[in-house]
Structures are given as C-alpha cells and as structure tokens.
Amino acid sequence: MFNTTLQCTAIVCTSLFAGGIFVFPLLAPALMEYLKLSQPQLSLIALAGMAGQYPFSSIVGKLIDRYGPRVCSFLAAIMFSAAFGLSALEVSLYTEHPELPNTAVAKRLAVYFAIAGLGTVLSYFSFVFSATKTFTNYLTVASGITMSLFGLSPLFLSYVAGKFFTDNSTGSLDVTHFLQFLAISAGVVHLVGACALTVPSTNTNTSPPSSTPESGGTLSERSRLLDREDSPDSTCDPRDNSALQLLWDFHFWLLGLYMVIILGVCEMIMSNIGTIVMSLPSRMTGTLVSKGEQAASLQVKILSISNTVSRLLVGPLADFVSPVFSYQHLEGFTTIRKHRMSRMGFLSGAASLLAATSAWMVLDVQTRHDVWLLSVGTGITYGAVFTVLPGVTCSIWGIRNLARNFGIITYSPFIGTTFYSYVYALTVAQHSPEGAACQGKICWERTFYFCLGSCLAALAITAILWRDWSGRT
C-alpha cells in the first residue's frame, strides 16, 4: 500500500513539472522584446521543443518495456536541468551583451528546447506507463488521469510564472529566473521519480477473464470477438509482434497518418497560440492590448484546462463503453465489461471537432476575444486523442510491447508538428512587413484553410479504420 501511494505521488509530481515546453507562448513575447527575435525564429524554437519529443520515442518506449520507468525519469531529470538551465544562461548573457547576434542565440535556444522536448517524452513515458502497466484493468482511466495531470502542467507552471516571476505593474515575465526555476524544480522532481516509479513484471494475462461457455457463465455478444487459440500450449498473445511486423501492417500506417494530421495541427496551434492572439485587435475598433503576455497566458490556461477536462472525461467513458481487449490462454480475446462501441468513434469525434475549430477561425474570428474557441477545441482534441490512443494500440497490438508500439506511433506527430509549424511560419512571413510583426487575420487565414481540409481527410481515415477494425477496438 505504501509503495503504491508513493508511486501515485511520484506520478502526480512528475506530470505537473513535465510540461515546461508548453509554456513557450508565455516566453515568446518577452523573447521577441528583449532578444529581438523574429516570428520564424520563435517558430523554430517552439518547433524544436515540440518536435524534440518524438525522434527517440520508440527507443524510450523500448526502455520502458525492458527496464521500467525509473531509468527514463532519471534521464528526464538530466535533460530538463540542462535544457532550461542553459536557456536561462543564454537569455541572461544576451541581455547583458545585446551586441551579440540574435541569430546564433535563436539557434542555441532551439537546441536547448529540443533537449527539453526529449526530456518531456522521457518523463511522459515514465509516468504514463508506470500507471497503465500497473492498473491494466482500467488502462484508459489510468492513462486519462495521468495525461490529464500532464495537461494541467502548463496551467500550473503558468500560475507559478504569473504569481512569482511576473512584474504586476508591467505584466512582463522575468524569463531568466523562470527558466532557472524550471531547471531546478523539474530536475529534482524527476530524480525523486527515478526512485519511486515502478511497474509490475510484464504478464500478458493481466486482466480477469470474462464469462465464457466453458466456465458456465453468460457470454455477451462482444466478450470474445476472435477465435481462441486452439493449441493448449499457446500462452503467448498472438498480437505480440516484432517492430518489423508492426511496420508491415497497412492499418498502422493509416493510424499514423491520422496522427500526423490531427496532432500536427494541434501542436502547431499550441506552439503559436500566443502570436495568433497578438496578431488580432482587442476590439473591432482595431486597438491593440498593451499587455500581449497576458492575452497569451489566458489562451495557454484555456488550452490546459480543456486538455485536462477532456482527458478526465474521455478516459472513464472510453473504458466503460470500449474496454480494452486482453488475451487469455484458452479464452481468446476478451473484455472485462461489455463492449458497446469502437474507440474509433472517439478519434472520429476529435477530427470533426478540430475541423469545426479550423472553420471557426477562417469564418468568424475577428478579435482576440474570439480565439478562446480555438483553444478549447484544440485542447479537447489533443487530450481525447492521446487518452484513447494507448487503448487502441493495446487492443490491436497487445500490451507486452505497448510502450514500444506507442512510441513508434508518436513519430507521426513529429512529422506533423514540423510540417504544420513551417506552413504557419511561412504564411506569417509572407504577410509580415519588413522589420515588423504581422498583424491581422491574413497572417494565418490560409494556414487554417489548409488545416480544415486536412482534418476532413483525417475524418475519412477514421471511417476506414472503424470499418476494418470492427469488433477489435
């Protein structure tokens, strides 16, 4: 009992301090003001932080499957301390010596935020799979709660930034000291997590069997949807395939393309929500708010709350209506509760919501006060997809290599984030006056038209997967 309590406490603490890269919209206005960085340079830094999560995700997943979450939490402590500490040093040196070329500063900050992105995926995998591999009977609830805590991280860190590192009279953020705080706090918390985060030994027979004719129970219409293994000596889950076999699965690539689109669009918005807000007038008269940092901070908080609420609601709902399929020797594929609908319904709903949000941006948004719906739609979509994804992955490809398979799939948003972020940055650059920030809806209107079409394509992909995976998710 004590170990479980300690583990849960470590999960809460590491998840709350893992989202440092997601508060970049708070840093962007100050970096633009003090370091004179351009929008493409800010987009490069934000992209590095978001994209840095993904290149090693399959390797991190393999570490989790083989060695458990402690190693990853320890590595995350090193990455966070180094990345945010060096970033703080870089900002302080430039403010003392403004004659330094800011191009070199921007490139170094991009490298540091890429390191922080790697720390984020190390942390994320450590607490998510510590929970899901411990509480396998309620896998989506476990992933939903831990991911919702992770979704709260930007809100929590934004509150800390506003409370302790912001000048109340000017609304300006003390970037240097805030980055130093992130370096120390995230490092210490993840070192503690390296001692407390555990998982039980891997066992494919982790869920209690559902009722079957052989046991005299009542068989529900969906409690066993695939034929059981005929060989009495077969104890291995037939879904436990190698990485090469996974890559030969056409449906894996379809799911990956869905992730490229939906999570790529979401993370592009999350990285640039601050500049999107600041490009718009505060009212229809066209006047601008002097404290752009506060407007950006509000959108970060809305995103974080929406993300969190989505994960908290979708997790239990998905486990209730779409319980994960587990493999039982002599039982076949079973669920512990009645299976009522496919998890693809949640992914279809997420694609539809993001399409509607993109349509709202190009059709109705006129002022900063209208952007809240973008933050809400993005947060709900992002939270729902990441909450449902481990359950989909587990139902289709098994739990033994769940972290590895999840890590491979998360290469997809790495591609999507890079692609959509550059679409956004190039569109802004085309409409930016020489030496000035872009103003007006024209800065990003074409980007959201493109996002709208992409999300409709993702919706079509979910229809194909829903049909082909009928009775399996």
Side-chain angles (χ1 to χ4, degrees):
M1 181 64 181
F2 174 76
N3 290 337
T4 302
T5 302
L6 183 63
Q7 178 188 7
C8 292
T9 302
I11 288 172
V12 171
C13 293
T14 53
S15 60
L16 287 177
F17 282 90
I21 62 171
F22 297 106
V23 297
F24 183 78
L26 298 182
L27 308 178
L31 294 177
M32 182 181 291
E33 179 181 355
Y34 298 122
L35 275 62
K36 304 298 186 293
L37 298 181
S38 65
Q39 178 58 55
Q41 289 173 325
L42 291 173
S43 294
L44 174 65
I45 298 170
L47 172 62
M50 300 298 284
Q53 302 173 80
Y54 301 116
F56 300 100
S57 56
S58 65
I59 298 175
V60 175
K62 192 65 176 178
L63 284 175
I64 293 288
D65 289 329
R66 180 166 296 183
Y67 301 110
R70 290 179 172 177
V71 172
C72 290
S73 187
F74 176 76
L75 294 175
I78 297 174
M79 298 298 172
F80 281 138
S81 294
F84 294 128
L86 290 171
S87 295
L89 179 62
E90 198 70 46
V91 174
S92 64
L93 288 177
Y94 186 85
T95 53
E96 294 174 2
H97 304 282
E99 71 278 0
L100 296 173
N102 67 1
T103 301
V105 174
K107 290 180 179 178
R108 287 193 289 270
L109 286 175
V111 172
Y112 302 151
F113 270 76
I115 295 172
L118 176 56
T120 302
V121 75
L122 284 163
S123 172
Y124 183 84
F125 275 54
S126 66
F127 61 75
V128 167
F129 290 105
S130 177
T132 56
K133 290 198 171 191
T134 300
F135 307 102
T136 53
N137 288 350
Y138 298 93
L139 187 146
T140 309
V141 172
S143 64
I145 291 176
T146 53
M147 290 178 182
S148 68
L149 291 170
F150 179 63
L152 274 176
S153 179
L155 180 62
F156 170 70
L157 295 176
S158 296
Y159 172 79
V160 172
K163 184 71 174 178
F164 301 104
F165 299 97
T166 301
D167 189 324
N168 292 329
S169 59
T170 63
S172 298
L173 176 68
D174 187 343
V175 178
T176 301
H177 288 95
F178 180 58
L179 287 171
Q180 290 173 346
F181 164 77
L182 290 179
I184 296 171
S185 59
V188 171
V189 166
H190 284 84
L191 281 177
V192 174
C195 302
L197 295 176
T198 59
V199 294
S201 59
T202 302
N203 186 353
T204 58
N205 189 18
T206 54
S207 300
S210 61
S211 297
T212 62
E214 289 89 340
S215 61
T218 301
L219 181 65
S220 75
E221 69 271 22
R222 289 188 178 271
S223 63
R224 191 174 105 200
L225 300 177
L226 297 177
D227 290 336
R228 62 182 170 86
E229 290 292 296
D230 292 326
S231 171
D233 297 325
S234 177
T235 59
C236 295
D237 190 331
R239 300 170 299 177
D240 292 334
N241 295 325
S242 67
L244 184 60
Q245 290 172 309
L246 181 70
L247 295 177
W248 276 108
D249 189 339
F250 171 71
H251 297 96
F252 169 81
W253 292 101
L254 279 181
L255 181 60
L257 181 57
Y258 172 89
M259 298 282 287
V260 166
I261 296 171
I262 298 301
L263 296 184
V265 172
C266 285
E267 293 191 354
M268 177 273 292
I269 295 171
M270 294 165 69
S271 298
N272 297 285
I273 190 68
T275 54
I276 291 173
V277 171
M278 294 178 67
S279 69
L280 291 168
S282 62
R283 290 174 176 81
M284 296 302 293
T285 57
T287 58
L288 296 177
V289 175
S290 59
K291 297 180 180 180
E293 294 93 339
Q294 294 180 357
S297 176
L298 175 62
Q299 297 306 319
V300 171
K301 292 174 181 177
I302 293 174
L303 266 167
S304 181
I305 293 172
S306 303
N307 190 359
T308 301
V309 171
S310 172
R311 295 172 194 260
L312 288 174
L313 295 179
V314 169
L317 179 61
D319 265 352
F320 177 72
V321 301
S322 310
V324 173
F325 287 95
S326 62
Y327 177 75
Q328 305 287 329
H329 178 48
L330 298 180
E331 299 268 350
F333 292 93
T334 64
T335 63
I336 61 174
R337 291 173 299 278
K338 181 180 179 181
H339 195 274
R340 292 173 172 82
M341 66 169 283
S342 171
R343 285 175 180 249
M344 297 311 301
F346 293 95
L347 298 186
S348 296
S352 300
L353 177 59
L354 195 57
T357 302
S358 299
W360 163 261
M361 289 298 291
V362 298
L363 296 176
D364 292 314
V365 169
Q366 299 296 330
T367 71
R368 292 180 179 180
H369 303 289
D370 301 328
V371 181
W372 68 271
L373 193 58
L374 173 68
S375 298
V376 171
T378 301
I380 292 175
T381 299
Y382 194 75
V385 170
F386 264 119
T387 301
V388 172
L389 184 62
V392 172
T393 306
C394 185
S395 286
I396 300 298
W397 295 294
I399 196 172
R400 181 181 295 276
N401 297 308
L402 175 60
R404 182 205 67 189
N405 297 339
F406 183 85
I408 294 174
I409 290 176
T410 55
Y411 282 129
S412 303
F414 166 67
I415 299 171
T417 301
T418 304
F419 176 72
Y420 285 99
S421 293
Y422 270 106
V423 169
Y424 173 82
L426 292 175
T427 304
V428 171
Q430 287 177 355
H431 298 93
S432 297
E434 186 68 28
C438 183
Q439 295 294 329
K441 190 173 178 177
I442 194 174
C443 300
W444 38 259
E445 188 173 30
R446 292 181 182 176
T447 300
F448 280 99
Y449 270 117
F450 183 67
C451 292
L452 173 58
S454 300
C455 292
L456 293 176
L459 182 60
I461 290 173
T462 62
I464 297 172
L465 291 176
W466 198 334
R467 179 199 64 193
D468 293 352
W469 283 345
S470 177
R472 297 177 61 194
T473 60

